Every structure is written in C-alpha cells, then in structure tokens.
Amino acid sequence: MTSQAPSPFIPALIIVDVQEDFCPPHGSLAVPHGRAILPTITSLLSLPFALKVATKDFHPPSHISFASNHPAPDNTPFLSQTTIVNPYNPAETYSTRLWPVHCVQGTPGADLLAEIDGGKVDVVVEKGMDPRVEMYSAFTDPFEKPSVSTSGLEEALRGRGVTHVYVVGLALDYCVRATALDARRLGWEVLVVREGTRPVDVEGGREAVGEMEGCGVRVVGEEGEEVGWVRGLEGRDKLGKQGYGEEGGG
C-alpha cells in the first residue's frame, strides 16, 4: 500500500541525456543496455509531474572531453585523463576522463531517442556547450569559484515551485549522479528511479549509488511508494491548479 505523499509535494521529472550516442546499437559512447530504460521512462512520462525535463549533451566539435582534441599519447578514449582548469580561476582544477566524440551539435547522435514522446516533455535543457569545461550535471559545470556554465534548470524548477526531483537517464555513474547530487545540494528532495538508469561501468554504478545515498538522495523502485506518490496526483487538477499551485522548497 502506498503511503501518503509528503506535503507540499510538487514533483518534477528529469530525464538525463537519453540520446542516440549514448545508446546501443550505434551510439559512439553507448551505455550497456541503455535502451532498456525506455519502458520506465515512458511510464514516468505518463504521470502528472509538475514539470518534465529532458536534458541533452550538446557539445561543439572542439569540446575538451573528446579524446581526439588532445595530443597523443594521452588521448585514448575511456583510458586517458585530462586536467581541466577554470578559465576564470587557474587555481581551481579537476581531472576528468576522456571520451569518444559524442553528442555533437547538429548530428543525429545528439538527438533524443525517437521513442521518447517529445510532446510530453515540457522543457529540453542543452548542456556541455562551452568547449572549455565538462558538464556532467544538468545544472552546472563542476567549478565553483566561479562556475563557468549554467543551464537554467535550477530557475525552471524553482519557477514551478518544485519540491521533489525524480531523476532517470544515462549514465548512472556520470550525468545522473552529478545531476542528482547537484539537485540535492540545491535543496530539493531527490529520488533516482533505479529501473530508469544504467551505468557506464557496473562498479562505477555501485559507487555512485553509495555516494548519492550518503548525500541524502533516495534510490527507489519504479513500483515503490515514492513513484506511487506521483500516481496519486492523477485525481487532482492539472498543472496550475490545486496540488501544484503552492510555493515549494528547493
């Protein structure tokens, strides 16, 4: 039996980077079993979330995460690392994995999967457009002093008074993890739906789940009570009416 939803309860769904280049059989950076999450995403899109967001990696050809944009011999996709320097603060740096070219603006690999019903998505957020920084999170790049690139997602969620953020997509150990952690850091209750995501690396996925749970993110099942709370909204009025009109935290 599903427990009563929290109050206030104004949920948003974030579908992270379910794009052609991240999915078999032809994706240049295909996540194993990436397409297996589609039934869960289709089911969630049918529910009355206050806001449904799809994000897209949307890189320029010169993006710093592409191994081919770095000199040999340290430019092997998946194996090589590079150090990224904050262009506004050289003292702030981080190391990141290099990838095959993927999700380049204007290419089919950057498209959302055709199986995702775009008519049910309220907002599409494009990220990773600054060639100088990686942007796993759908909110912002990893730099803090200062940040270099933000997507506008935070403002979209706050504008709808969202209280709870449900996250699915690809990949669990990278963009889903970073998006969930940033949403939690920004003050939302965050729930990752287990059946709606897959990792690049199995061990990396386990580590991501542990890290997220340690930060207060809940990893839940599609048939669990937390998704049931959203189903319970189906009898209420639609967006902008009772059930969505209160001011929410975040």
Side-chain angles (χ1 to χ4, degrees), residues 21-22 27-32 65-68 75-81 96-102 174 200-201:
D21 267 346
F22 290 136
S28 64
L29 184 41
V31 175
S65 73
F66 297 164
S68 59
N75 64 346
T76 304
F78 300 105
L79 299 178
S80 296
Q81 300 264 330
T96 191
R97 194 176 189 178
L98 293 179
W99 303 107
V101 174
H102 63 276
Y174 286 93
V200 173
D201 303 305

Side-chain angles (χ1 to χ4, degrees), residues 17-221:
D17 298 0
V18 184
Q19 295 166 265
E20 290 291 347
D21 267 346
F22 290 136
C23 289
H26 303 303
S28 64
L29 184 41
V31 175
H33 311 292
R35 287 183 183 269
I37 69 176
L38 283 169
T40 295
I41 290 174
T42 298
S43 175
L44 292 173
L45 275 173
S46 72
L47 300 181
F49 287 93
L51 185 67
K52 301 171 186 177
V53 178
T55 77
K56 296 173 60 176
D57 255 12
F58 206 58
H59 297 313
S62 58
H63 197 259
I64 197 167
S65 73
F66 297 164
S68 59
N69 287 330
H70 296 265
D74 298 320
N75 64 346
T76 304
F78 300 105
L79 299 178
S80 296
Q81 300 264 330
T82 192
T83 297
I84 299 180
V85 179
N86 188 330
Y88 305 127
N89 176 12
E92 189 178 20
T93 66
Y94 66 92
S95 179
T96 191
R97 194 176 189 178
L98 293 179
W99 303 107
V101 174
H102 63 276
C103 300
V104 173
Q105 299 168 13
T107 68
D111 292 342
L112 296 172
L113 294 189
E115 294 92 332
I116 294 176
D117 185 350
K120 294 181 178 179
V121 174
D122 300 307
V123 177
V124 175
V125 170
E126 296 171 342
K127 62 187 183 69
M129 294 184 286
D130 190 314
R132 302 170 295 175
V133 293
E134 184 58 275
M135 194 168 171
Y136 292 135
S137 170
F139 291 93
T140 187
D141 64 89
F143 290 125
E144 297 178 353
K145 302 175 182 178
S147 63
V148 177
S149 179
T150 57
S151 68
L153 177 57
E154 178 183 359
E155 292 77 9
L157 294 172
R158 295 199 191 282
R160 292 293 182 95
V162 166
T163 61
H164 293 66
V165 173
Y166 289 69
V167 185
V168 293
L170 301 171
L172 172 61
D173 41 346
Y174 286 93
C175 295
V176 168
R177 166 195 164 275
T179 297
L181 289 173
D182 267 359
R184 185 67 188 133
R185 175 181 60 81
L186 290 166
W188 282 286
E189 294 295 324
V190 182
L191 307 98
V192 173
V193 182
R194 186 180 297 108
E195 296 88 343
T197 185
R198 292 292 188 277
V200 173
D201 303 305
V202 173
E203 184 57 35
R206 292 192 191 100
E207 292 175 359
V209 168
E211 181 182 6
M212 290 188 294
E213 290 180 334
C215 292
V217 174
R218 300 169 69 176
V219 180
V220 304

